[in-house]
Amino acid sequence: MSHIQQTTDLPSTMRALAVVEPNDAITLSELSVPVPSPEGNELLIKVEYVGLNHVDANFAKQGFCKWHYPHVLGHDAVGVVVQANKGVFPGVGARVVWHASLGDQGVLSEYTTVPNYAVSVVPDNVSPADAATLPCSGMTALIALDKLQLSEGDSLFIDAGAGGVGQFAIQFAKQRGATVFTTASKHNHKLLKQLGADVVFDYKDPKLEDKIRRELGPQGFDAVLDCIGGDTTIRNVELMRFCGHIACLNELPKFEQELMFRRAPNIGIVSLGGAWLANSLCAQQKLSFMGNLLLDNAARGEIKLPQIHAVDFSAHAVSDALNKQLAGGFTGKQVVQVSG
């Protein structure tokens, strides 16, 4: 008697989009590869939608030390469980969303496997395409806000508020009672005010720092979500109060010793991929918990999701989308429809 449950007969091979080697043009190849088999508590999932992220484009260009080539791209996926060992939850037929391991093959394929404890079941009133916008940006925002230890009434500065992380961070920071300041292009100011931002600055304004200080007063921000990195991180530390908190999404610049003594910042590094790279079962389960929180808020209409830009499941279309991801200048989330 079989201990494996599955929907129907499954194909032996599948389409997948991969980089044969890292390349500046982000040229992808379509491959035909074997459909994986789930082991232990893994689920075999028929992928419906994949959300694209800045990190996907960066690593497609630069490569990653843990990758084997050709490497299938993609980390944020939504799909339906089509095969699972008996007793493994969620079972066959469940629609799930998850953020996949940075170190393993990605999810831009017709089928993939994922440990059951890292997925979140998608409610019926959240569309699969909408669910695909949540993992990387939403989870990163939640981790960052936890590291910032926000209290009600704290002042929070979010760089690049119109990005995926910024949009979620604004909304969850307002839920926690913070006063939110952010930056964006002028055409996105109305959107960010609708999401709850109290003050929005034009990030291109040459007098940005002066205007921030005039609006905030002399005390400095209690907390900063640093989405850009580099010299911007140094500027953001200058804008903080003494012993404030900053959560950084990118590698740290070289700080002057005097600035570190004068501001004494509590610096937190946000690493969503670290849950997998550190082989931390607890952290991987937390991904599922954060997914549940994001889905619950979306299902109850308590957060607004980014506008979706549909992308075809082809090497050319995804390559163009990833280059667009790095170029910036668009607002919303690029989502690849793989099936469904």
Side-chain angles (χ1 to χ4, degrees), residues 5 9-10 35 40 52 72 79 100 113 141 176 230 235 280 301 317:
Q5 298 178 325
D9 289 337
L10 299 170
V35 172
L52 300 180
V72 178
T113 55
R176 300 181 188 201
R235 180 204 70 190
S280 169

mmCIF file with all atom_site columns, all heavy atoms in Angstrom, residues 5 9-10 35 40 52 72 79 100 113 141 176 230 235 280 301 317:
data_model
loop_
_atom_site.group_PDB
_atom_site.id
_atom_site.type_symbol
_atom_site.label_atom_id
_atom_site.label_alt_id
_atom_site.label_comp_id
_atom_site.label_asym_id
_atom_site.label_entity_id
_atom_site.label_seq_id
_atom_site.pdbx_PDB_ins_code
_atom_site.Cartn_x
_atom_site.Cartn_y
_atom_site.Cartn_z
_atom_site.occupancy
_atom_site.B_iso_or_equiv
_atom_site.pdbx_formal_charge
_atom_site.auth_seq_id
_atom_site.auth_comp_id
_atom_site.auth_asym_id
_atom_site.auth_atom_id
_atom_site.pdbx_PDB_model_num
ATOM 1   N N   . GLN A 1 5   ? 0.416  10.294 -1.349  1.00 0.00 ? 5   GLN A N   1
ATOM 2   C CA  . GLN A 1 5   ? -0.858 10.745 -1.892  1.00 0.00 ? 5   GLN A CA  1
ATOM 3   C C   . GLN A 1 5   ? -0.582 11.763 -2.988  1.00 0.00 ? 5   GLN A C   1
ATOM 4   O O   . GLN A 1 5   ? 0.280  12.634 -2.834  1.00 0.00 ? 5   GLN A O   1
ATOM 5   C CB  . GLN A 1 5   ? -1.696 11.395 -0.784  1.00 0.00 ? 5   GLN A CB  1
ATOM 6   C CG  . GLN A 1 5   ? -2.049 10.430 0.346   1.00 0.00 ? 5   GLN A CG  1
ATOM 7   C CD  . GLN A 1 5   ? -2.824 11.101 1.448   1.00 0.00 ? 5   GLN A CD  1
ATOM 8   O OE1 . GLN A 1 5   ? -2.592 12.261 1.744   1.00 0.00 ? 5   GLN A OE1 1
ATOM 9   N NE2 . GLN A 1 5   ? -3.747 10.375 2.040   1.00 0.00 ? 5   GLN A NE2 1
ATOM 10  N N   . ASP A 1 9   ? -1.769 11.310 -12.334 1.00 0.00 ? 9   ASP A N   1
ATOM 11  C CA  . ASP A 1 9   ? -0.451 10.947 -12.856 1.00 0.00 ? 9   ASP A CA  1
ATOM 12  C C   . ASP A 1 9   ? 0.320  12.215 -13.188 1.00 0.00 ? 9   ASP A C   1
ATOM 13  O O   . ASP A 1 9   ? -0.204 13.142 -13.822 1.00 0.00 ? 9   ASP A O   1
ATOM 14  C CB  . ASP A 1 9   ? -0.590 10.087 -14.115 1.00 0.00 ? 9   ASP A CB  1
ATOM 15  C CG  . ASP A 1 9   ? -1.119 8.694  -13.777 1.00 0.00 ? 9   ASP A CG  1
ATOM 16  O OD1 . ASP A 1 9   ? -0.962 8.271  -12.617 1.00 0.00 ? 9   ASP A OD1 1
ATOM 17  O OD2 . ASP A 1 9   ? -1.692 8.059  -14.680 1.00 0.00 ? 9   ASP A OD2 1
ATOM 18  N N   . LEU A 1 10  ? 1.552  12.282 -12.763 1.00 0.00 ? 10  LEU A N   1
ATOM 19  C CA  . LEU A 1 10  ? 2.376  13.473 -12.951 1.00 0.00 ? 10  LEU A CA  1
ATOM 20  C C   . LEU A 1 10  ? 3.363  13.260 -14.079 1.00 0.00 ? 10  LEU A C   1
ATOM 21  O O   . LEU A 1 10  ? 3.802  12.137 -14.327 1.00 0.00 ? 10  LEU A O   1
ATOM 22  C CB  . LEU A 1 10  ? 3.125  13.798 -11.650 1.00 0.00 ? 10  LEU A CB  1
ATOM 23  C CG  . LEU A 1 10  ? 2.239  14.107 -10.443 1.00 0.00 ? 10  LEU A CG  1
ATOM 24  C CD1 . LEU A 1 10  ? 3.074  14.160 -9.178  1.00 0.00 ? 10  LEU A CD1 1
ATOM 25  C CD2 . LEU A 1 10  ? 1.510  15.428 -10.644 1.00 0.00 ? 10  LEU A CD2 1
ATOM 26  N N   . VAL A 1 35  ? 10.888 16.252 -13.006 1.00 0.00 ? 35  VAL A N   1
ATOM 27  C CA  . VAL A 1 35  ? 10.016 16.671 -11.905 1.00 0.00 ? 35  VAL A CA  1
ATOM 28  C C   . VAL A 1 35  ? 10.570 16.066 -10.619 1.00 0.00 ? 35  VAL A C   1
ATOM 29  O O   . VAL A 1 35  ? 10.819 14.855 -10.563 1.00 0.00 ? 35  VAL A O   1
ATOM 30  C CB  . VAL A 1 35  ? 8.567  16.198 -12.145 1.00 0.00 ? 35  VAL A CB  1
ATOM 31  C CG1 . VAL A 1 35  ? 7.697  16.461 -10.917 1.00 0.00 ? 35  VAL A CG1 1
ATOM 32  C CG2 . VAL A 1 35  ? 7.979  16.896 -13.366 1.00 0.00 ? 35  VAL A CG2 1
ATOM 33  N N   . GLY A 1 40  ? 10.296 12.631 2.763   1.00 0.00 ? 40  GLY A N   1
ATOM 34  C CA  . GLY A 1 40  ? 9.961  12.931 4.159   1.00 0.00 ? 40  GLY A CA  1
ATOM 35  C C   . GLY A 1 40  ? 8.772  13.862 4.260   1.00 0.00 ? 40  GLY A C   1
ATOM 36  O O   . GLY A 1 40  ? 7.675  13.561 3.805   1.00 0.00 ? 40  GLY A O   1
ATOM 37  N N   . LEU A 1 52  ? 8.583  38.161 -8.460  1.00 0.00 ? 52  LEU A N   1
ATOM 38  C CA  . LEU A 1 52  ? 9.987  38.511 -8.706  1.00 0.00 ? 52  LEU A CA  1
ATOM 39  C C   . LEU A 1 52  ? 10.446 39.580 -7.725  1.00 0.00 ? 52  LEU A C   1
ATOM 40  O O   . LEU A 1 52  ? 9.679  40.459 -7.337  1.00 0.00 ? 52  LEU A O   1
ATOM 41  C CB  . LEU A 1 52  ? 10.162 39.015 -10.143 1.00 0.00 ? 52  LEU A CB  1
ATOM 42  C CG  . LEU A 1 52  ? 9.789  38.026 -11.251 1.00 0.00 ? 52  LEU A CG  1
ATOM 43  C CD1 . LEU A 1 52  ? 10.015 38.659 -12.622 1.00 0.00 ? 52  LEU A CD1 1
ATOM 44  C CD2 . LEU A 1 52  ? 10.575 36.727 -11.122 1.00 0.00 ? 52  LEU A CD2 1
ATOM 45  N N   . VAL A 1 72  ? 18.026 27.433 -11.434 1.00 0.00 ? 72  VAL A N   1
ATOM 46  C CA  . VAL A 1 72  ? 16.657 27.911 -11.599 1.00 0.00 ? 72  VAL A CA  1
ATOM 47  C C   . VAL A 1 72  ? 16.440 29.086 -10.646 1.00 0.00 ? 72  VAL A C   1
ATOM 48  O O   . VAL A 1 72  ? 16.750 28.989 -9.456  1.00 0.00 ? 72  VAL A O   1
ATOM 49  C CB  . VAL A 1 72  ? 15.636 26.784 -11.309 1.00 0.00 ? 72  VAL A CB  1
ATOM 50  C CG1 . VAL A 1 72  ? 14.210 27.298 -11.444 1.00 0.00 ? 72  VAL A CG1 1
ATOM 51  C CG2 . VAL A 1 72  ? 15.874 25.604 -12.242 1.00 0.00 ? 72  VAL A CG2 1
ATOM 52  N N   . GLY A 1 79  ? 1.371  27.846 -5.164  1.00 0.00 ? 79  GLY A N   1
ATOM 53  C CA  . GLY A 1 79  ? 0.982  26.699 -5.966  1.00 0.00 ? 79  GLY A CA  1
ATOM 54  C C   . GLY A 1 79  ? 0.128  25.738 -5.172  1.00 0.00 ? 79  GLY A C   1
ATOM 55  O O   . GLY A 1 79  ? -0.176 25.966 -3.995  1.00 0.00 ? 79  GLY A O   1
ATOM 56  N N   . ALA A 1 100 ? 11.269 30.508 -0.750  1.00 0.00 ? 100 ALA A N   1
ATOM 57  C CA  . ALA A 1 100 ? 12.114 29.320 -0.904  1.00 0.00 ? 100 ALA A CA  1
ATOM 58  C C   . ALA A 1 100 ? 13.555 29.573 -0.465  1.00 0.00 ? 100 ALA A C   1
ATOM 59  O O   . ALA A 1 100 ? 13.998 30.717 -0.322  1.00 0.00 ? 100 ALA A O   1
ATOM 60  C CB  . ALA A 1 100 ? 12.079 28.853 -2.355  1.00 0.00 ? 100 ALA A CB  1
ATOM 61  N N   . THR A 1 113 ? 9.610  21.315 -4.917  1.00 0.00 ? 113 THR A N   1
ATOM 62  C CA  . THR A 1 113 ? 9.365  20.753 -3.586  1.00 0.00 ? 113 THR A CA  1
ATOM 63  C C   . THR A 1 113 ? 9.730  21.787 -2.524  1.00 0.00 ? 113 THR A C   1
ATOM 64  O O   . THR A 1 113 ? 10.587 22.653 -2.743  1.00 0.00 ? 113 THR A O   1
ATOM 65  C CB  . THR A 1 113 ? 10.196 19.472 -3.332  1.00 0.00 ? 113 THR A CB  1
ATOM 66  O OG1 . THR A 1 113 ? 11.583 19.770 -3.545  1.00 0.00 ? 113 THR A OG1 1
ATOM 67  C CG2 . THR A 1 113 ? 9.759  18.351 -4.263  1.00 0.00 ? 113 THR A CG2 1
ATOM 68  N N   . ALA A 1 141 ? 9.807  43.126 5.636   1.00 0.00 ? 141 ALA A N   1
ATOM 69  C CA  . ALA A 1 141 ? 9.280  44.263 6.405   1.00 0.00 ? 141 ALA A CA  1
ATOM 70  C C   . ALA A 1 141 ? 8.994  43.861 7.848   1.00 0.00 ? 141 ALA A C   1
ATOM 71  O O   . ALA A 1 141 ? 9.332  44.600 8.788   1.00 0.00 ? 141 ALA A O   1
ATOM 72  C CB  . ALA A 1 141 ? 8.013  44.796 5.740   1.00 0.00 ? 141 ALA A CB  1
ATOM 73  N N   . ARG A 1 176 ? 1.413  49.354 14.479  1.00 0.00 ? 176 ARG A N   1
ATOM 74  C CA  . ARG A 1 176 ? 2.124  49.349 15.759  1.00 0.00 ? 176 ARG A CA  1
ATOM 75  C C   . ARG A 1 176 ? 2.155  50.730 16.408  1.00 0.00 ? 176 ARG A C   1
ATOM 76  O O   . ARG A 1 176 ? 2.772  50.901 17.462  1.00 0.00 ? 176 ARG A O   1
ATOM 77  C CB  . ARG A 1 176 ? 3.549  48.817 15.569  1.00 0.00 ? 176 ARG A CB  1
ATOM 78  C CG  . ARG A 1 176 ? 3.572  47.395 15.018  1.00 0.00 ? 176 ARG A CG  1
ATOM 79  C CD  . ARG A 1 176 ? 4.971  46.853 14.853  1.00 0.00 ? 176 ARG A CD  1
ATOM 80  N NE  . ARG A 1 176 ? 4.958  45.564 14.146  1.00 0.00 ? 176 ARG A NE  1
ATOM 81  C CZ  . ARG A 1 176 ? 5.921  44.656 14.190  1.00 0.00 ? 176 ARG A CZ  1
ATOM 82  N NH1 . ARG A 1 176 ? 7.001  44.891 14.920  1.00 0.00 ? 176 ARG A NH1 1
ATOM 83  N NH2 . ARG A 1 176 ? 5.828  43.537 13.510  1.00 0.00 ? 176 ARG A NH2 1
ATOM 84  N N   . GLY A 1 230 ? 24.841 51.735 1.396   1.00 0.00 ? 230 GLY A N   1
ATOM 85  C CA  . GLY A 1 230 ? 25.895 52.638 0.950   1.00 0.00 ? 230 GLY A CA  1
ATOM 86  C C   . GLY A 1 230 ? 25.906 53.941 1.730   1.00 0.00 ? 230 GLY A C   1
ATOM 87  O O   . GLY A 1 230 ? 25.676 53.978 2.946   1.00 0.00 ? 230 GLY A O   1
ATOM 88  N N   . ARG A 1 235 ? 24.027 58.543 5.967   1.00 0.00 ? 235 ARG A N   1
ATOM 89  C CA  . ARG A 1 235 ? 23.109 59.678 6.139   1.00 0.00 ? 235 ARG A CA  1
ATOM 90  C C   . ARG A 1 235 ? 22.002 59.337 7.141   1.00 0.00 ? 235 ARG A C   1
ATOM 91  O O   . ARG A 1 235 ? 21.638 60.156 7.990   1.00 0.00 ? 235 ARG A O   1
ATOM 92  C CB  . ARG A 1 235 ? 22.491 60.052 4.796   1.00 0.00 ? 235 ARG A CB  1
ATOM 93  C CG  . ARG A 1 235 ? 21.527 61.222 4.863   1.00 0.00 ? 235 ARG A CG  1
ATOM 94  C CD  . ARG A 1 235 ? 20.521 61.205 3.727   1.00 0.00 ? 235 ARG A CD  1
ATOM 95  N NE  . ARG A 1 235 ? 19.558 60.109 3.880   1.00 0.00 ? 235 ARG A NE  1
ATOM 96  C CZ  . ARG A 1 235 ? 18.698 59.743 2.939   1.00 0.00 ? 235 ARG A CZ  1
ATOM 97  N NH1 . ARG A 1 235 ? 18.706 60.350 1.763   1.00 0.00 ? 235 ARG A NH1 1
ATOM 98  N NH2 . ARG A 1 235 ? 17.848 58.758 3.153   1.00 0.00 ? 235 ARG A NH2 1
ATOM 99  N N   . SER A 1 280 ? 18.345 26.771 10.086  1.00 0.00 ? 280 SER A N   1
ATOM 100 C CA  . SER A 1 280 ? 17.598 26.949 11.332  1.00 0.00 ? 280 SER A CA  1
ATOM 101 C C   . SER A 1 280 ? 16.138 26.550 11.131  1.00 0.00 ? 280 SER A C   1
ATOM 102 O O   . SER A 1 280 ? 15.378 27.270 10.481  1.00 0.00 ? 280 SER A O   1
ATOM 103 C CB  . SER A 1 280 ? 17.683 28.411 11.788  1.00 0.00 ? 280 SER A CB  1
ATOM 104 O OG  . SER A 1 280 ? 16.765 28.663 12.832  1.00 0.00 ? 280 SER A OG  1
ATOM 105 N N   . GLY A 1 301 ? -8.534 42.475 4.650   1.00 0.00 ? 301 GLY A N   1
ATOM 106 C CA  . GLY A 1 301 ? -8.481 43.795 4.042   1.00 0.00 ? 301 GLY A CA  1
ATOM 107 C C   . GLY A 1 301 ? -7.757 44.818 4.887   1.00 0.00 ? 301 GLY A C   1
ATOM 108 O O   . GLY A 1 301 ? -7.960 46.029 4.716   1.00 0.00 ? 301 GLY A O   1
ATOM 109 N N   . ALA A 1 317 ? 10.722 37.030 -21.405 1.00 0.00 ? 317 ALA A N   1
ATOM 110 C CA  . ALA A 1 317 ? 9.877  37.919 -20.597 1.00 0.00 ? 317 ALA A CA  1
ATOM 111 C C   . ALA A 1 317 ? 10.420 38.072 -19.184 1.00 0.00 ? 317 ALA A C   1
ATOM 112 O O   . ALA A 1 317 ? 10.435 39.182 -18.630 1.00 0.00 ? 317 ALA A O   1
ATOM 113 C CB  . ALA A 1 317 ? 8.449  37.380 -20.562 1.00 0.00 ? 317 ALA A CB  1
#
